[in-house]
Amino acid sequence: MKNKIIITVLASSLLAFSSCENVLEYTPKGVLSSSDLTSATAVDGLVTSAYAAIGNGDMIGPIYSMWAYGSVRSDDAYKGGGGTGDVGEIDALEHYNLVTPTMGAFVTRTWQNLFKSISRANVAIRAVNNLDETSFPIKKVRLGELKFLRAHSYFTMKLLYKNIPIFDETASEEDILKVSNTLSNDESWNKIAADFQFAIDNLPTNQAEMGRANKYAAQAYLAKLRLFQAYEQDATHKVTNINKSRLQEVITLTQSVISSGKYRLSNDIGDNFLPETENGPESIFAIQFTVNDGTTAGRMSYEDGLNYPHGAPQYGCCGFHAGSQNLVNAHTTDANGWPNFDTFNETNADLSKQMVDPRLDHTVGIDGRVYKYDNTKLFSNSWVRDPGVYGNFHTMRFQQLASSGSYFKLGPFMGTAKNYDILRFDDILLIQAEAYIQLGEQDKALSLINQVRERAAKSTGRLKKSDGSFSSTYNVKPYSSIGWTKDFAFKALQWERRLEFATEGPRFFDLVRWGIAESTLNKYIEKEKSRRTFLATAKFTAGRDEYLPIPQAEITFTNGLYKQNPGY
């Protein structure tokens, strides 16, 4: 793997970030701080450190991989692993009604890790502001990058917790402890949006160094934010209105990205999940990771490290993130090459007879099928850790072959140097399509959705078995303009987002945005618990389970300044 300019050894050597009493007053306590830095080179190193921070989550405090929060909490996947007690907090997330504010690993640690990344951005912004443009000519560009990074972390926090404290680089430690989490939903969205807008106004359209955010990345991210903001929620998370002016902003912003000509869909969806084709034409912004960069273990991504096939000899651990039967069924198609919208989940798919969308075999490990594009080692049910509880399907998109140059095993845990895409062009196409549909201009969405479907239909080359055959009959075709009503178009859009980003994490947050999480997930549970009895006591409660609780430790630390989310 090549070294990437942004995430380098400098990120770890410039600053030693030690733990402190509470991350809200988190300040780098190591060798240097922003007030110590007066040279442009040193300050630029702080910017690099802020880039590193958005990839500084871990397996039990993830901040970029949403497999536990967005995939397992949805109808896409089960927790997996060695039974329900193995990493029990994810089992609680999967059951919804078992989540508590005192959960210390995932719920609290993710909060803390995200605030650490925000604090690194604020430290770097203060340092950059201390320099004038004569000594640091790229001052505004670096400030644009830093505010983009800060907004990214706040956006992630808002998706997870909704009601969050937001402060900037001007806040002292004393000020931070006075910042509540009681902003209105619209106010907090707008505060985050202001950072993205600053980035739009100050970033170039092209960056010489790979991995740095540019103007189009900021426009794409602001479009994504405005789409979520357009679905206005009340205090109990119910969608009460869809704001048309916000949707128009989404269209304007996404059109700037699309018409730039800088990005396009990759030829094969698999290009998005392989190190050999990373930073390709579809990647708008990605967290950069490295291996063989002069450090002991590289700058690796470990957040998906639990999710390799347990019984496969090349891995050995740990069998988490098992594809659901519902997800597999959702990939079946009819004679038109369209999803079986209304009947897909009535029975378990017979994959030897039914036609399927090719994205199934890019997403789910299934017995006898090519696993991660290696047709010499077909997936085997013997690789599954606990089939009696979780069935025989497994995850695949973010896993890498043990023979890959990006793969690294540290003890029992697996990491990769494959970049992690935060913004992709397929997402931008579907974001724009959704805005058009909700504005009643669904005809403009048809070609956008069909571009994604046509790419899916062509994504079969890596799925051939060694004898040249395919495991299934693939059949996915574009939608017709006949019968393309607003209601049908929205159903098609929802389905397309599910299949295009299956097991990547957006699914749960999409359901919450659309206001259908409770109805969709309880319907899913009702059917799925007859297939997987561990779900027998699962239940999604509207007005509570759309968001994680505010960690009780943070409420206690602020002497009750933070208010708990409803229902907890």
Side-chain angles (χ1 to χ4, degrees):
M1 295 293 291
K2 60 186 177 297
N3 291 346
K4 291 116 177 176
I5 191 69
I6 292 300
I7 307 301
T8 68
V9 67
L10 177 61
S12 58
S13 63
L14 182 65
L15 288 176
F17 279 75
S18 63
S19 61
C20 61
E21 188 175 9
N22 188 279
V23 294
L24 288 182
E25 55 180 14
Y26 182 88
T27 303
K29 300 289 187 180
V31 178
L32 300 171
S33 70
S34 56
S35 61
D36 297 317
L37 299 170
T38 57
S39 76
T41 300
V43 169
D44 216 21
L46 276 178
V47 179
T48 299
S49 181
Y51 272 100
I54 65 169
N56 273 358
D58 52 61
M59 284 186 287
I60 62 171
I63 60 175
Y64 53 87
S65 171
M66 293 291 111
W67 77 269
Y69 297 128
S71 183
V72 170
R73 276 205 297 167
S74 77
D75 44 7
D76 273 6
Y78 318 127
K79 174 182 75 71
T84 57
D86 191 6
V87 191
E89 283 202 10
I90 306 180
D91 180 69
L93 291 168
E94 188 169 14
H95 279 76
Y96 311 110
N97 54 344
L98 300 179
V99 176
T100 67
T102 56
M103 288 169 60
F106 279 79
V107 171
T108 299
R109 191 155 169 167
T110 291
W111 174 286
Q112 293 173 342
N113 283 341
L114 283 164
F115 263 120
K116 288 177 182 179
S117 66
I118 290 163
S119 295
R120 278 210 196 182
N122 282 337
V123 166
I125 290 171
R126 286 195 290 269
V128 172
N129 278 331
N130 286 336
L131 300 179
D132 58 38
E133 291 190 63
T134 301
S135 60
F136 198 47
I138 55 173
K139 177 177 179 176
K140 288 184 178 178
V141 172
R142 292 295 185 258
L143 286 173
E145 293 174 42
L146 290 166
K147 292 192 177 185
F148 174 93
L149 297 174
R150 181 171 67 187
H152 158 72
S153 295
Y154 273 131
F155 178 87
T156 304
M157 287 199 77
K158 188 153 178 62
L159 288 190
L160 292 170
Y161 304 95
K162 186 178 182 179
N163 297 308
I164 59 173
I166 299 177
F167 52 88
D168 64 17
E169 73 281 359
T170 65
S172 66
E173 290 185 4
E174 292 75 19
D175 294 334
I176 290 170
L177 293 176
K178 298 175 184 177
V179 178
S180 74
N181 69 329
T182 56
L183 284 172
S184 72
N185 206 34
D186 221 39
E187 286 176 311
S188 56
W189 279 129
N190 285 336
K191 279 184 172 288
I192 302 168
D195 271 355
F196 284 133
Q197 187 61 55
F198 183 93
I200 291 169
D201 295 339
N202 290 278
L203 290 179
T205 56
N206 292 290
Q207 292 269 29
E209 295 175 318
M210 188 180 298
R212 293 192 185 276
N214 63 25
K215 180 185 184 77
Y216 297 126
Q219 288 176 324
Y221 222 143
L222 182 56
K224 189 170 186 176
L225 181 151
R226 293 304 193 198
L227 182 65
F228 274 88
Q229 187 179 14
Y231 292 81
E232 296 174 352
Q233 297 179 354
D234 65 16
T236 59
H237 320 320
K238 183 179 179 180
V239 175
T240 57
N241 181 54
I242 301 177
N243 189 308
K244 292 186 176 181
S245 65
R246 293 298 183 202
L247 294 176
Q248 193 57 58
E249 285 183 74
V250 171
I251 291 170
T252 301
L253 289 161
T254 52
Q255 190 56 39
S256 180
V257 178
I258 293 168
S259 63
S260 72
K262 186 177 176 66
Y263 307 100
R264 63 171 176 82
L265 293 176
S266 299
N267 295 330
D268 188 307
I269 191 174
D271 291 344
N272 294 314
F273 309 107
L274 291 169
E276 295 81 7
T277 45
E278 64 186 14
N279 291 323
E282 196 163 344
S283 179
I284 297 174
F285 181 74
I287 301 173
Q288 308 284 314
F289 292 101
T290 65
V291 69
N292 299 326
D293 58 4
T295 61
T296 301
R299 168 72 183 169
M300 308 292 289
S301 171
Y302 287 99
E303 288 194 8
D304 291 291
L306 294 173
N307 301 342
Y308 283 83
H310 185 75
Q314 62 267 41
Y315 300 121
C317 188
C318 294
F320 285 77
H321 201 191
S324 72
Q325 183 68 57
N326 182 288
L327 178 67
V328 172
N329 294 345
H331 283 82
T332 62
T333 59
D334 63 17
N336 293 320
W338 299 354
N340 291 305
F341 291 113
D342 300 320
T343 61
F344 80 99
N345 202 39
E346 291 179 353
T347 60
N348 292 350
D350 184 342
L351 299 178
S352 67
K353 296 179 180 179
Q354 289 183 267
M355 295 177 290
V356 298
D357 189 306
R359 285 172 288 194
L360 173 65
D361 289 327
H362 289 272
T363 306
V364 182
I366 301 172
D367 188 54
R369 297 188 174 218
V370 175
Y371 185 78
K372 200 61 186 184
Y373 317 128
D374 181 0
N375 61 17
T376 68
K377 297 183 183 67
L378 302 182
F379 188 86
S380 169
N381 284 345
S382 66
W383 296 4
V384 177
R385 186 172 181 183
D386 199 339
V389 176
Y390 296 112
N392 284 308
F393 301 132
H394 200 65
T395 189
M396 184 160 50
R397 288 198 178 187
F398 290 121
Q399 279 46 67
Q400 298 299 326
L401 295 174
S403 57
S404 170
S406 71
Y407 175 87
F408 186 85
K409 191 168 185 179
L410 186 64
F413 303 117
M414 277 71 74
T416 78
K418 165 69 177 69
N419 290 351
Y420 206 98
D421 283 311
I422 300 300
L423 294 165
R424 290 204 314 258
F425 190 66
D426 52 354
D427 199 10
I428 299 310
L429 292 176
L430 295 179
I431 284 172
Q432 186 178 88
E434 184 173 338
Y436 274 131
I437 292 167
Q438 294 291 32
L439 286 170
E441 301 178 63
Q442 62 271 12
D443 290 351
K444 295 179 180 178
L446 179 59
S447 65
L448 298 167
I449 295 173
N450 279 342
Q451 284 182 58
V452 178
R453 292 185 65 75
E454 287 163 359
R455 193 270 294 275
K458 295 186 293 185
S459 298
T460 59
R462 293 188 173 100
L463 307 180
K464 288 182 180 180
K465 300 168 82 168
S466 57
D467 63 3
S469 67
F470 293 107
S471 297
S472 280
T473 301
Y474 300 127
N475 187 29
V476 57
K477 291 184 173 66
Y479 292 110
S480 169
S481 60
I482 299 172
W484 188 253
T485 63
K486 180 179 180 180
D487 287 345
F488 183 81
F490 192 50
K491 180 187 289 188
L493 179 280
Q494 291 174 317
W495 215 273
E496 206 61 32
R497 285 197 62 84
R498 185 181 189 188
L499 300 190
E500 185 69 6
F501 308 113
T503 70
E504 293 185 48
R507 175 65 172 169
F508 180 84
F509 308 109
D510 284 347
L511 295 175
V512 171
R513 179 174 78 254
W514 297 325
I516 61 171
E518 188 273 338
S519 58
T520 301
L521 294 175
N522 281 334
K523 182 179 180 181
Y524 157 73
I525 291 166
E526 187 60 31
K527 182 70 172 182
E528 209 76 0
K529 69 184 181 183
S530 67
R531 299 160 170 158
R532 308 284 181 257
T533 56
F534 78 91
L535 287 170
T537 60
K539 182 182 179 181
F540 187 99
T541 300
R544 179 191 67 193
D545 296 327
E546 291 88 350
Y547 296 94
L548 299 174
I550 307 302
Q552 184 59 45
E554 305 300 323
I555 295 175
T556 301
F557 181 79
T558 60
N559 296 315
L561 178 65
Y562 293 169
K563 303 306 178 186
Q564 185 54 269
N565 282 335
Y568 290 105

